Amino acid sequence: MNAEDKTKITVDIYGNQYKLKASTSTNYMKRVAEYVNEQMFRIAKGYPHLDSQKVAVLAAVNMADDCFRMNEVMEELNKIQKEQQATQAAYDKLQQTYNELQQELANNQEQMKEQAASIQFAADQELEQLKQQLDQGKQQQEQVKRQLNQEKQQQDLLKQQLDQEKNQHMQLRKQLEQEKQRT
């Protein structure tokens, strides 16, 4: 900013007129002058025997102390802000990791559902095959039972026939013996 752009103002500080030039607004310059004026009157009220130069020096010391304290507060605030930014960055990273893990969990759950459905389908098919095999086994068993029954019936028939033939054979023998005895 050049000299032409500076604002000029006359202010009253501790009963004296001062012409000021600054690159800020007139309102801001008035507030600064009022603050210095208040500081000087506050010190003069507390120490009425001091001359204006000593009042000005003490006001300057108090304002410098305020400035240093404010700088310390600003440094602390900057430190806190940096810590908050670091904490926010860590939180954002954790949030991103959390979201990624949530997505991974959802994907894993979906895969598990699909696998479970596939396993269930395969198990159902295998169960159905086993049922069919069991039914076939039962049918075969029934068929074997029928065959065994038929064979038993045939065996019984053969036994009866054999018994009949034995009986006939015995009768024939008896007849032969009787004939032999008659002759």
Side-chain angles (χ1 to χ4, degrees), residues 51-66:
D51 62 28
S52 62
Q53 184 180 0
K54 288 183 180 178
V55 169
V57 169
L58 287 177
V61 168
N62 282 342
M63 288 185 283
D65 179 52
D66 289 344

PDB file of all heavy atoms in Angstrom, residues 51-66:
ATOM      1  N   ASP A  51       3.500  11.833  36.244  1.00  0.00           N
ATOM      2  CA  ASP A  51       3.362  12.748  35.100  1.00  0.00           C
ATOM      3  C   ASP A  51       2.918  11.959  33.873  1.00  0.00           C
ATOM      4  O   ASP A  51       2.892  10.733  33.866  1.00  0.00           O
ATOM      5  CB  ASP A  51       4.665  13.524  34.843  1.00  0.00           C
ATOM      6  CG  ASP A  51       5.834  12.617  34.476  1.00  0.00           C
ATOM      7  OD1 ASP A  51       5.592  11.525  33.914  1.00  0.00           O
ATOM      8  OD2 ASP A  51       6.995  12.989  34.746  1.00  0.00           O
ATOM      9  N   SER A  52       2.572  12.648  32.788  1.00  0.00           N
ATOM     10  CA  SER A  52       1.988  12.013  31.610  1.00  0.00           C
ATOM     11  C   SER A  52       2.963  11.059  30.922  1.00  0.00           C
ATOM     12  O   SER A  52       2.558  10.037  30.363  1.00  0.00           O
ATOM     13  CB  SER A  52       1.481  13.058  30.619  1.00  0.00           C
ATOM     14  OG  SER A  52       2.555  13.863  30.157  1.00  0.00           O
ATOM     15  N   GLN A  53       4.270  11.364  30.973  1.00  0.00           N
ATOM     16  CA  GLN A  53       5.239  10.460  30.345  1.00  0.00           C
ATOM     17  C   GLN A  53       5.257   9.112  31.067  1.00  0.00           C
ATOM     18  O   GLN A  53       5.241   8.062  30.440  1.00  0.00           O
ATOM     19  CB  GLN A  53       6.642  11.090  30.351  1.00  0.00           C
ATOM     20  CG  GLN A  53       7.648  10.221  29.633  1.00  0.00           C
ATOM     21  CD  GLN A  53       9.047  10.829  29.630  1.00  0.00           C
ATOM     22  OE1 GLN A  53       9.279  11.903  30.164  1.00  0.00           O
ATOM     23  NE2 GLN A  53       9.966  10.116  29.011  1.00  0.00           N
ATOM     24  N   LYS A  54       5.262   9.123  32.401  1.00  0.00           N
ATOM     25  CA  LYS A  54       5.277   7.875  33.161  1.00  0.00           C
ATOM     26  C   LYS A  54       3.957   7.122  32.993  1.00  0.00           C
ATOM     27  O   LYS A  54       3.933   5.893  32.910  1.00  0.00           O
ATOM     28  CB  LYS A  54       5.570   8.150  34.625  1.00  0.00           C
ATOM     29  CG  LYS A  54       7.002   8.557  34.857  1.00  0.00           C
ATOM     30  CD  LYS A  54       7.304   8.766  36.316  1.00  0.00           C
ATOM     31  CE  LYS A  54       8.764   9.177  36.449  1.00  0.00           C
ATOM     32  NZ  LYS A  54       9.150   9.448  37.805  1.00  0.00           N
ATOM     33  N   VAL A  55       2.863   7.878  32.935  1.00  0.00           N
ATOM     34  CA  VAL A  55       1.563   7.255  32.689  1.00  0.00           C
ATOM     35  C   VAL A  55       1.585   6.558  31.332  1.00  0.00           C
ATOM     36  O   VAL A  55       1.130   5.406  31.191  1.00  0.00           O
ATOM     37  CB  VAL A  55       0.419   8.293  32.761  1.00  0.00           C
ATOM     38  CG1 VAL A  55      -0.885   7.712  32.243  1.00  0.00           C
ATOM     39  CG2 VAL A  55       0.239   8.795  34.188  1.00  0.00           C
ATOM     40  N   ALA A  56       2.161   7.197  30.312  1.00  0.00           N
ATOM     41  CA  ALA A  56       2.234   6.629  28.967  1.00  0.00           C
ATOM     42  C   ALA A  56       3.099   5.374  28.965  1.00  0.00           C
ATOM     43  O   ALA A  56       2.761   4.363  28.332  1.00  0.00           O
ATOM     44  CB  ALA A  56       2.777   7.657  27.985  1.00  0.00           C
ATOM     45  N   VAL A  57       4.254   5.432  29.694  1.00  0.00           N
ATOM     46  CA  VAL A  57       5.146   4.274  29.741  1.00  0.00           C
ATOM     47  C   VAL A  57       4.450   3.100  30.423  1.00  0.00           C
ATOM     48  O   VAL A  57       4.490   1.957  29.939  1.00  0.00           O
ATOM     49  CB  VAL A  57       6.482   4.616  30.432  1.00  0.00           C
ATOM     50  CG1 VAL A  57       7.293   3.356  30.714  1.00  0.00           C
ATOM     51  CG2 VAL A  57       7.282   5.596  29.589  1.00  0.00           C
ATOM     52  N   LEU A  58       3.794   3.360  31.572  1.00  0.00           N
ATOM     53  CA  LEU A  58       3.082   2.277  32.263  1.00  0.00           C
ATOM     54  C   LEU A  58       1.934   1.726  31.409  1.00  0.00           C
ATOM     55  O   LEU A  58       1.694   0.514  31.387  1.00  0.00           O
ATOM     56  CB  LEU A  58       2.568   2.760  33.620  1.00  0.00           C
ATOM     57  CG  LEU A  58       3.634   2.948  34.708  1.00  0.00           C
ATOM     58  CD1 LEU A  58       3.007   3.506  35.981  1.00  0.00           C
ATOM     59  CD2 LEU A  58       4.333   1.634  35.015  1.00  0.00           C
ATOM     60  N   ALA A  59       1.225   2.600  30.702  1.00  0.00           N
ATOM     61  CA  ALA A  59       0.147   2.148  29.809  1.00  0.00           C
ATOM     62  C   ALA A  59       0.744   1.274  28.701  1.00  0.00           C
ATOM     63  O   ALA A  59       0.193   0.225  28.354  1.00  0.00           O
ATOM     64  CB  ALA A  59      -0.600   3.340  29.217  1.00  0.00           C
ATOM     65  N   ALA A  60       1.906   1.702  28.174  1.00  0.00           N
ATOM     66  CA  ALA A  60       2.557   0.918  27.126  1.00  0.00           C
ATOM     67  C   ALA A  60       2.991  -0.442  27.671  1.00  0.00           C
ATOM     68  O   ALA A  60       2.838  -1.475  27.002  1.00  0.00           O
ATOM     69  CB  ALA A  60       3.754   1.680  26.552  1.00  0.00           C
ATOM     70  N   VAL A  61       3.529  -0.469  28.910  1.00  0.00           N
ATOM     71  CA  VAL A  61       3.940  -1.737  29.520  1.00  0.00           C
ATOM     72  C   VAL A  61       2.718  -2.654  29.698  1.00  0.00           C
ATOM     73  O   VAL A  61       2.769  -3.850  29.387  1.00  0.00           O
ATOM     74  CB  VAL A  61       4.669  -1.497  30.861  1.00  0.00           C
ATOM     75  CG1 VAL A  61       4.838  -2.787  31.641  1.00  0.00           C
ATOM     76  CG2 VAL A  61       6.011  -0.833  30.623  1.00  0.00           C
ATOM     77  N   ASN A  62       1.623  -2.099  30.209  1.00  0.00           N
ATOM     78  CA  ASN A  62       0.406  -2.900  30.393  1.00  0.00           C
ATOM     79  C   ASN A  62      -0.113  -3.438  29.047  1.00  0.00           C
ATOM     80  O   ASN A  62      -0.510  -4.607  28.952  1.00  0.00           O
ATOM     81  CB  ASN A  62      -0.690  -2.067  31.063  1.00  0.00           C
ATOM     82  CG  ASN A  62      -0.463  -1.934  32.561  1.00  0.00           C
ATOM     83  OD1 ASN A  62       0.295  -2.695  33.153  1.00  0.00           O
ATOM     84  ND2 ASN A  62      -1.110  -0.954  33.174  1.00  0.00           N
ATOM     85  N   MET A  63      -0.109  -2.559  28.034  1.00  0.00           N
ATOM     86  CA  MET A  63      -0.606  -3.008  26.727  1.00  0.00           C
ATOM     87  C   MET A  63       0.343  -4.042  26.103  1.00  0.00           C
ATOM     88  O   MET A  63      -0.105  -4.997  25.464  1.00  0.00           O
ATOM     89  CB  MET A  63      -0.805  -1.802  25.798  1.00  0.00           C
ATOM     90  CG  MET A  63      -2.018  -0.958  26.213  1.00  0.00           C
ATOM     91  SD  MET A  63      -2.379   0.392  25.087  1.00  0.00           S
ATOM     92  CE  MET A  63      -1.111   1.563  25.547  1.00  0.00           C
ATOM     93  N   ALA A  64       1.665  -3.872  26.323  1.00  0.00           N
ATOM     94  CA  ALA A  64       2.626  -4.861  25.824  1.00  0.00           C
ATOM     95  C   ALA A  64       2.404  -6.198  26.541  1.00  0.00           C
ATOM     96  O   ALA A  64       2.444  -7.270  25.909  1.00  0.00           O
ATOM     97  CB  ALA A  64       4.053  -4.376  26.017  1.00  0.00           C
ATOM     98  N   ASP A  65       2.158  -6.124  27.874  1.00  0.00           N
ATOM     99  CA  ASP A  65       1.868  -7.345  28.630  1.00  0.00           C
ATOM    100  C   ASP A  65       0.611  -8.019  28.076  1.00  0.00           C
ATOM    101  O   ASP A  65       0.598  -9.238  27.854  1.00  0.00           O
ATOM    102  CB  ASP A  65       1.684  -6.993  30.118  1.00  0.00           C
ATOM    103  CG  ASP A  65       1.368  -8.228  30.947  1.00  0.00           C
ATOM    104  OD1 ASP A  65       2.121  -9.224  30.844  1.00  0.00           O
ATOM    105  OD2 ASP A  65       0.358  -8.203  31.685  1.00  0.00           O
ATOM    106  N   ASP A  66      -0.430  -7.219  27.829  1.00  0.00           N
ATOM    107  CA  ASP A  66      -1.659  -7.770  27.234  1.00  0.00           C
ATOM    108  C   ASP A  66      -1.365  -8.416  25.881  1.00  0.00           C
ATOM    109  O   ASP A  66      -1.873  -9.508  25.573  1.00  0.00           O
ATOM    110  CB  ASP A  66      -2.718  -6.676  27.049  1.00  0.00           C
ATOM    111  CG  ASP A  66      -3.322  -6.203  28.369  1.00  0.00           C
ATOM    112  OD1 ASP A  66      -3.149  -6.921  29.382  1.00  0.00           O
ATOM    113  OD2 ASP A  66      -3.986  -5.140  28.368  1.00  0.00           O
TER     114      ASP A  66
END
